[in-house]
Each structure stands twice: as C-alpha cells, then as structure tokens.
Amino acid sequence: MDKEILFARTLERVKNLAREQGSRISEEQVKAEFAKLDLNAGQLKMVFDYLSGQKIGIGEPADPDLFLTQGEKNYLQDYLETVAALPVYGQGEVEAFTVAAMAGDAQAQQRIVEIYLKDVVDVAKLYAGQGVSLEDLIGEGNVALALGAGMLGGLDKPSEAGGTLVRMMMNAMEECIRENSEGKKADRAVEDKVNRVAEKARELAEELGKKVTPEELAQEKGLSLKTILDACRMSGGRIEDIEYAEYAEKDL
C-alpha cells in the first residue's frame, strides 16, 4: 500500500480511537499505531501537534473551553440555563422513560430528549474549533437526539440507550464538520480557478492593450475555453480584463 495512503488511514484510525476514549490518547498508543510507518521523532511530533489541533489530548483530555470564542461561550451559557430549567429525574425514572420510549411512547421519547440535552453540549464541545460553530454543532446534536429517541425500539436493553444516543450525536456532528470541510475545499477550488484565469487575462490584456476575449485568452495562454468560461460564470462575469459581450446571454 502507498505510504501516504497508509499514513492517512492510520491517522484517521488514531483520531477515531481517541474519540472513543473521550478525546484522549496516550503517546504509546500513537506510536504503536504508526509503528509500521517507522516515523522519526520530527514526524511523530507533527502527528502529536496535529492531534492537539484536533482537540485530542495526549495522555489526558484537552480542555474544550480553550477552543470556544466569546460568542460561543455566551451562547453556551444561555443554552445551559435553558437546560437547567428542565426537570431532573432519578435513575429509576430515566430507566422507566427509556423502556416506555422503546415501546413507542411519544411522551416518554420527549422526556428522553430532555434528559440527554446536556450530553449534546458535552459532545459538541469535543468538536469545537473544527470549522463549525458550537451553535451549529449543538443544533446537529439536538436533531440527532430527537431522531434517536424515536428509534430506541431497535435496542435490546434500556442500558444501551445512552451510548446509542451519544454515538448518533457524534456521527451527526462529524458529518457536519466533514460537509463543511468539503464545502470549503470546493470554494477554494473555485477561487483558485477564477484567480488563475484572471491572472492570465490580466497578463494578456497588458500585452494587447485591451480587454481580451475568451478565445484570445485560450489561444495565447494555453487555457481551455471551457476553463475560461467556467471561471467567468463562477465569478459572475467580474473578471475585469475579459470582454464578455459575446457571451453575456448565450454562455454566461
């Protein structure tokens, strides 16, 4: 297997292991996972630095509050005040609600949602600082919690409910972060294409002393006409050194 692919898969496995352990992992575990890659001290330090940046503690949990903005802290305080106003139930009551929720009781399912709302916060704080706001993470967690409360009928035992709901929260938040990351990558790809075409258009416009047509740009600068027209469309026709008149209605 290609070493880069093996490294990426190992890093992902280490991250998942750390999440399962409460966002912590030991140095020994990391070194054992990467043993086959024979990393040197500098490369291992880069791995540890990356994990720290992902809010994974090395040997002990990272402090999630360090990754919260002041706005997120204010939102969190208001949210926790709302949660604190909800009823508090004993273990026996929680188990009774869980059994009823597993049987399809809608009111019991709502009680389950209320009981686990604080867990949404705890899980969301684990994912703070990864490009998605705490408010959005909590929102995703709440949706997953509500869906999960209605799906407890598939469990074998009431004791499985808590772990199942937390895993659903984590999966929802991780998916949100992944989609956000992919969206940013797509945005950067669009920006790079527009900037590359704009730079070539500026060069040719300076050489010719006038705005250039897409055909001239394609012929003189080695760009495909499709790439140029895509960039024009993506920029909303705002690449200033390109003459759009011919394409204003037909292609753009």
Side-chain angles (χ1 to χ4, degrees):
M1 183 184 298
D2 184 271
K3 191 172 183 179
E4 291 184 0
I5 296 176
L6 180 58
F7 178 87
R9 290 182 178 177
T10 303
L11 187 59
E12 190 64 26
R13 187 167 63 248
V14 167
K15 285 170 58 181
N16 290 337
L17 176 60
R19 298 298 184 203
E20 292 172 1
Q21 299 175 164
S23 287
R24 74 172 81 181
I25 194 167
S26 68
E27 287 190 20
E28 291 73 19
Q29 284 178 303
V30 175
K31 290 177 181 178
E33 290 290 338
F34 281 96
K36 291 183 180 179
L37 285 162
D38 195 25
L39 302 183
N40 60 39
Q43 291 170 323
L44 275 173
K45 183 179 184 303
M46 290 177 63
V47 170
F48 288 129
D49 289 344
Y50 170 79
L51 293 174
S52 296
Q54 296 293 306
K55 299 197 315 321
I56 293 172
I58 308 301
E60 60 183 22
D63 181 2
D65 289 341
L66 295 176
F67 298 88
L68 300 182
T69 66
Q70 188 57 51
E72 288 176 324
K73 290 178 181 178
N74 294 339
Y75 168 79
L76 182 58
Q77 181 177 349
D78 291 341
Y79 183 90
L80 289 176
E81 287 176 357
T82 300
V83 173
L86 295 172
V88 177
Y89 301 103
Q91 185 58 40
E93 292 175 299
V94 172
E95 184 171 348
F97 285 136
T98 303
V99 171
M102 292 172 64
D105 186 311
Q107 189 172 11
Q109 290 169 359
Q110 180 57 40
R111 296 292 83 76
I112 291 296
V113 170
E114 294 173 358
I115 289 166
Y116 286 95
L117 280 176
K118 189 177 184 303
D119 292 83
V120 174
V121 173
D122 294 336
V123 174
K125 289 170 73 173
L126 296 176
Y127 293 100
Q130 296 189 47
V132 177
S133 72
L134 186 70
E135 183 174 357
D136 287 343
L137 289 171
I138 289 176
E140 292 292 332
N142 286 343
V143 171
L145 173 58
L147 291 173
M151 298 168 59
L152 296 180
L155 301 181
D156 294 325
K157 297 179 292 186
S159 59
E160 298 174 350
T164 297
L165 293 172
V166 168
R167 282 195 298 274
M168 291 185 69
M169 298 173 203
M170 295 178 72
N171 290 342
M173 294 180 199
E174 289 175 3
E175 178 68 11
C176 181
I177 291 171
R178 184 188 65 77
E179 290 179 353
N180 180 69
S181 177
E182 291 180 352
K184 287 184 176 179
K185 287 180 182 178
D187 290 343
R188 284 196 295 272
V190 168
E191 183 179 356
D192 288 345
K193 177 179 281 190
V194 171
N195 288 341
R196 182 160 60 96
V197 171
E199 182 180 354
K200 295 296 184 181
R202 182 169 57 253
E203 291 175 2
L204 185 58
E206 290 175 355
E207 294 171 12
L208 300 179
K210 68 177 185 68
K211 286 188 175 185
V212 300
T213 66
E215 288 88 349
E216 289 173 328
L217 188 56
Q219 182 176 353
E220 298 296 330
K221 293 299 180 179
L223 298 172
S224 72
L225 185 59
K226 180 180 185 305
T227 293
I228 296 167
L229 294 177
D230 283 347
C232 292
R233 185 161 46 247
M234 291 169 180
S235 69
R238 290 194 294 271
I239 300 179
E240 61 183 31
D241 293 303
I242 292 182
E243 176 57 62
Y244 294 99
E246 182 181 348
Y247 294 88
E249 295 182 0
K250 183 176 67 175
D251 295 297
L252 301 181

